[in-house]
């Protein structure tokens, strides 16, 4: 009986050690077994991508903002919820050159935006990362966002992000929203973002019921 207990204890210790000793890539920060470095193609975006990420979303294993940062290294990510969490963002917004992607009552289709139109072109674009409820909480808590030009995505491609369950059929991953928005405003090829998301999904292992229907 004693030997059986010792054997079970040894198995538990060894299993725990195997988990805690998992090695991670120092560049992409994914486990070595699912390293994405070979799938990263850097996008030189003239548009500054700023992400306000809900604190609960930041620790979600399936969040795609970390993929955005790999492909667009200049992406700025700020984690929080309340207005005081994003003071540095507010203080560095360029007047007349920053917009926010959020489907508000005053938002207009981003696809209709033209960099050659009247006024200064956009140089900054803010995205809110989280579930719809979390994004709404950030939107409501940060009234300064309401004074910025607001855009929604009217003709975005259908989402191909299937490893995460969503409640709304038309939902996009944040990566897909960034890809479409940057392509519309800056007129550059953002397909490396979508290819990186596909590579990430190909390495992900999860039960079918946890996937998008």
């Amino acid at each position: 009986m004693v030997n059986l207990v010792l054997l079970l204890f040894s198995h538990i210790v060894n299993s725990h050690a195997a988990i805690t000793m998992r090695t991670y890539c120092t560049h992409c920060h994914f486990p070595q077994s699912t390293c994405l470095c070979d799938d990263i193609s850097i996008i030189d975006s003239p548009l500054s991508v700023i992400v306000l990420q809900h604190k609960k979303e930041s620790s979600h294993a399936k969040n795609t903002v970390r993929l955005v940062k790999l492909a667009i290294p200049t992406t700025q990510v700020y984690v929080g919820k309340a207005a005081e969490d994003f003071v540095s963002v507010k203080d560095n917004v360029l007047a007349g050159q920053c917009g926010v992607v959020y489907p508000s009552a005053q938002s207009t289709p981003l696809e209709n935006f033209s960099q050659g139109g009247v006024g200064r072109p956009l140089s900054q674009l803010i995205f809110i990362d989280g579930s719809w409820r979390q994004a709404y909480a950030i939107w409501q808590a940060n009234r300064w966002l309401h004074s910025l030009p607001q855009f929604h995505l009217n003709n975005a491609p259908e989402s191909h992000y299937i490893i995460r369950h969503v409640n709304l059929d038309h939902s996009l991953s944040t990566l897909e929203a960034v890809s479409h928005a940057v392509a519309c405003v800056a007129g550059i090829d953002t397909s490396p973002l979508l290819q990186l998301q596909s590579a990430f999904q190909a390495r992900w292992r999860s039960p079918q019921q946890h996937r998008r229907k």
Side-chain angles (χ1 to χ4, degrees), residues 18-32:
I19 293 173
T20 56
M21 291 176 62
R22 175 185 287 182
T23 56
Y24 286 78
C25 173
T26 57
H27 177 60
C28 72
H29 303 295
F30 282 88
Q32 287 287 0

Side-chain angles (χ1 to χ4, degrees), residues 13 20 40 57 61 75-76 80 83 93-94 113 119 125 138 144 173 181 183 186-187 205 207 210:
V13 170
T20 56
I40 300 171
E57 180 66 18
T75 299
Q76 303 169 58
V93 162
L94 299 177
F113 180 84
L125 204 53
I138 290 177
W144 58 274
S173 69
R205 298 291 180 266
H210 292 173

